[in-house]
Amino acid sequence: MSWRSGGRLRWAAAVPFALVGLFGTPVGAGATTGARAPVERVVEPAEEGVLVPSYEAGLTPDDENMQAFLSQNAVLEDIAAYASERVVLPRDIPLHAASCGEANAFWDPQARDITFCYEYLEALAPLLAEQQTEGTAQERSAQLDQDLVGVTNEAVLHELGHALVSLYDLPVVGKEEDAADQLSALLLASGDERHVGYALSTITAYAALADAAAKGEEPLKAYADEHSLNAQRYFNWVCWLYGSDPDRYAPVVQTERNPDGVLPQDRADRCPGEFRQMEKSWSPTLKPYLKT
Ligand SMILES: [Zn+2]
């Protein structure tokens, strides 16, 4: 059974956000010459909390490169500013980028902080690169940089979902992992072009992970994991992006007339309702900002 019949969800448009390159322009010895200074972003101290970013030193050369890439592009600061625009945080939440010894990102309910592991991007980078089949080598490298920023946004906002469930003691009916995915998708899909681009990077990443899983034997324990399977997360994200604006994303729906669509019609029919339900479920934590 093909989990993704027909075409692939393409980028709607190049995302105009110049990055200090990791793959586009190597970051490292001598390569920082001419690099842009990190974007100055002031996160307003308010009564409510903010995400407080920090970049811990990488413990391996690859981690050092990821640390430089993320910090020089002020990626965590950008996510913190975006989260502050959209979500009411009940307290400050430290947001560390760090070497973890595993490809992961997590909310720690005891320490009440979020950790994003450099290894997560290192694991995804080659899979994302395989998904880039069009454009010049330079364009593909630049796209890969964009995708790495995109999946960082996705992972941090997912962990923010866990943080909000924990800090607000929110009731979650169903899997908390799916609820956390939904918050991330809600915030990115309802954002500006750049954040919608991050949602598309996320979809590309889940396509890559599902492709990798399809090539190998899916270990039985994958089904015991609390996360939905990567192919399911892929279709969920496509569904939610479509559901956020069905007219705009109509081409993703697979029909007789549009065999290149990726989202089966049966699921597509329910996606606008799923998206509205997500907004409603998360609304106690959201600022009145989202389009309706
Ligand atoms: Zn999670």
Side-chain angles (χ1 to χ4, degrees), residues 6-50:
R8 178 180 305 289
L9 186 58
R10 301 277 180 203
W11 283 81
V15 181
F17 183 53
L19 292 171
V20 180
L22 179 65
F23 294 96
T25 311
V27 172
T32 51
T33 313
R36 289 192 321 157
V39 182
E40 276 286 321
R41 290 182 199 278
V42 179
V43 178
E44 294 280 329
E47 293 86 67
E48 64 192 56
V50 292

Side-chain angles (χ1 to χ4, degrees), residues 144-165:
L144 181 53
D145 286 343
Q146 296 285 356
D147 285 345
L148 292 176
V149 174
V151 296
T152 304
N153 272 256
E154 181 271 333
V156 170
L157 295 175
H158 172 103
E159 297 310 324
L160 179 62
H162 287 303
L164 294 172
V165 167

Side-chain angles (χ1 to χ4, degrees), residues 48-279:
E48 64 192 56
V50 292
L51 290 172
V52 183
S54 64
Y55 301 90
E56 293 178 15
L59 299 182
T60 67
D62 283 348
D63 292 358
E64 282 175 7
N65 279 340
M66 282 303 174
Q67 193 253 4
F69 175 70
L70 291 172
S71 62
Q72 288 178 16
N73 289 300
V75 174
L76 298 189
E77 289 87 336
D78 183 62
I79 298 171
Y82 189 63
S84 288
E85 285 174 15
R86 295 303 190 89
V87 177
V88 181
L89 302 176
R91 54 173 288 138
D92 284 354
I93 301 174
L95 170 59
H96 313 286
S99 294
C100 308
E102 61 175 336
N104 206 349
F106 49 89
W107 157 250
D108 181 336
Q110 271 78 47
R112 294 181 167 182
D113 62 7
I114 292 171
T115 301
F116 177 80
C117 308
Y118 300 128
E119 293 93 333
Y120 183 74
L121 292 183
E122 290 157 25
L124 275 178
L127 298 178
L128 284 165
E130 276 179 25
Q131 300 286 314
Q132 314 290 352
T133 55
E134 292 177 358
T136 63
Q138 198 176 9
E139 286 166 346
R140 291 200 301 272
S141 296
Q143 185 62 69
L144 181 53
D145 286 343
Q146 296 285 356
D147 285 345
L148 292 176
V149 174
V151 296
T152 304
N153 272 256
E154 181 271 333
V156 170
L157 295 175
H158 172 103
E159 297 310 324
L160 179 62
H162 287 303
L164 294 172
V165 167
S166 169
L167 295 172
Y168 283 121
D169 202 17
L170 296 177
V172 176
V173 178
K175 291 202 283 191
E176 184 176 319
E177 290 303 334
D178 288 346
D181 276 354
Q182 289 176 355
L183 179 75
S184 186
L186 182 60
L187 295 176
L188 294 181
S190 63
D192 56 14
E193 283 301 307
R194 185 158 67 82
H195 290 90
V196 168
Y198 296 156
L200 291 167
S201 289
T202 300
I203 289 168
T204 303
Y206 283 121
L209 287 164
D211 271 348
K215 279 182 205 157
E217 295 267 321
E218 185 82 69
L220 189 60
K221 70 176 186 183
Y223 296 92
D225 192 87
E226 68 267 36
H227 298 87
S228 293
L229 297 173
N230 288 317
Q232 291 176 301
R233 294 176 93 179
Y234 166 81
F235 280 115
N236 283 341
W237 270 84
V238 173
C239 172
W240 298 333
L241 185 63
Y242 169 74
S244 74
D245 193 341
D247 291 337
R248 179 177 176 186
Y249 299 110
V252 306
V253 181
Q254 192 179 49
T255 61
E256 261 179 44
R257 285 182 158 191
N258 184 32
D260 287 342
V262 295
L263 187 64
Q265 183 75 58
D266 286 354
R267 177 72 185 268
D269 290 344
R270 295 198 299 273
C271 296
E274 280 189 43
F275 193 79
R276 281 194 299 274
Q277 181 70 41
M278 287 156 52
E279 279 187 306

